[in-house]
Amino acid sequence: MGHIRGVILDVDGTLVDSNDAQARAWIESMAQFGHFVAYEKVRWLIGEAGDKVIPQMIGLPADTPEGKQISARRGAVFSQRFMGSLQAFPEVRELVQRMLDAGLKIAIGSSAKQDELQKLLTIADIADLVSILVSSSDVQASKPNPSIVDVALKKLELQPDEVIMIGDTPYDIEAAARANVGTIAVRCGGWTDKELARALAIYNDPADLLAHYDTSPLAQ
């Protein structure tokens, strides 16, 4: 890595405790279309968007009429049933402010849809701190495809070795690696250290990363 000048932040499972809710929204929406999928199967696909999740869950291309209906229904269920009870992980705003105070440029790189992402950033209490946003609505393929990371790099106007991604899933790590960007992983999304082993460093959550900021890859 070069001197770090920018950060790409994932949101679900990284800044906001929403992975379980995302999984349950998928389960409910699929059941309404006659597809019954176990929670355990869905939970570990969270971090990818509907273009990847629907084919893996029910073997249906996401761009079919039914696939699009299921995806739209998931968005409605998530917003109506779960969004209001979500909470940010501890010290998210403080971590983002620390990065900004250090002169780092910050972009959001999320598999969430654009309208959903805005609500999640409000929950995380950083909507006023970050203006560079890249969602699954901005690309043709979601993580682990590197498109979200590639677009974020362009918006940051930085080179890959000047940027670190912060995420909670192997999909974040793979997407970043395919764009030649290193990753800091957090455990709060539910993945194990073994599953996150390709990250440059692993912390419990944003608060843990903030507590160890000066010895983290962010300070390089």
Side-chain angles (χ1 to χ4, degrees):
M1 293 189 305
H3 177 64
I4 299 303
R5 299 176 58 201
V7 175
I8 301 172
L9 285 172
D10 175 59
V11 178
D12 282 299
T14 300
L15 307 181
V16 178
D17 189 4
S18 53
N19 283 352
D20 288 343
Q22 291 279 12
R24 297 193 185 283
W26 275 117
I27 290 168
E28 287 192 25
S29 64
M30 287 186 296
Q32 291 177 22
F33 287 83
H35 303 284
F36 302 96
V37 182
Y39 171 83
E40 291 75 16
K41 181 177 181 179
V42 180
R43 176 61 176 79
W44 305 115
L45 296 176
I46 301 305
E48 300 179 312
D51 64 315
K52 302 286 196 310
V53 173
I54 292 174
Q56 292 181 79
M57 287 191 296
I58 59 177
L60 180 74
D63 60 357
T64 60
E66 184 178 356
K68 292 178 180 178
Q69 289 177 319
I70 292 173
S71 184
R73 185 58 190 154
R74 182 221 62 86
V77 169
F78 182 70
S79 179
Q80 295 166 11
R81 295 253 295 114
F82 298 103
M83 186 76 78
S85 61
L86 297 180
Q87 294 185 342
F89 290 113
E91 298 190 62
V92 167
R93 185 177 178 88
E94 290 83 354
L95 174 61
V96 172
Q97 189 64 62
R98 175 69 182 274
M99 292 189 289
L100 291 172
D101 290 345
L104 298 181
K105 299 174 69 175
I106 299 177
I108 298 296
S110 171
S111 291
K113 293 291 186 182
Q114 187 173 8
D115 58 342
E116 193 171 286
L117 179 58
Q118 293 287 352
K119 296 175 184 177
L120 290 168
L121 294 178
T122 298
I123 292 168
D125 194 24
I126 60 168
D128 62 320
L129 298 181
V130 185
S131 60
I132 300 175
L133 310 181
V134 185
S135 70
S136 61
S137 303
D138 299 312
V139 297
Q140 294 296 315
S142 65
K143 305 168 190 172
N145 185 287
S147 296
I148 287 175
V149 180
D150 288 334
V151 173
L153 286 171
K154 290 179 181 178
K155 290 190 174 186
L156 287 168
E157 298 180 331
L158 295 173
Q159 297 301 310
D161 66 350
E162 299 177 307
V163 175
I164 281 180
M165 182 160 193
I166 301 177
D168 68 301
T169 75
Y171 313 123
D172 294 312
I173 297 170
E174 182 177 347
R178 290 169 66 181
N180 297 312
V181 171
T183 305
I184 291 173
V186 287
R187 301 182 180 96
C188 48
W191 297 83
T192 67
D193 284 15
K194 181 178 180 180
E195 292 160 332
L196 302 173
R198 293 175 62 196
L200 298 170
I202 307 174
Y203 299 90
N204 290 331
D205 55 20
D208 188 30
L209 173 55
L210 178 61
H212 296 91
Y213 189 98
D214 290 337
T215 57
S216 76
L218 291 172
Q220 293 187 10

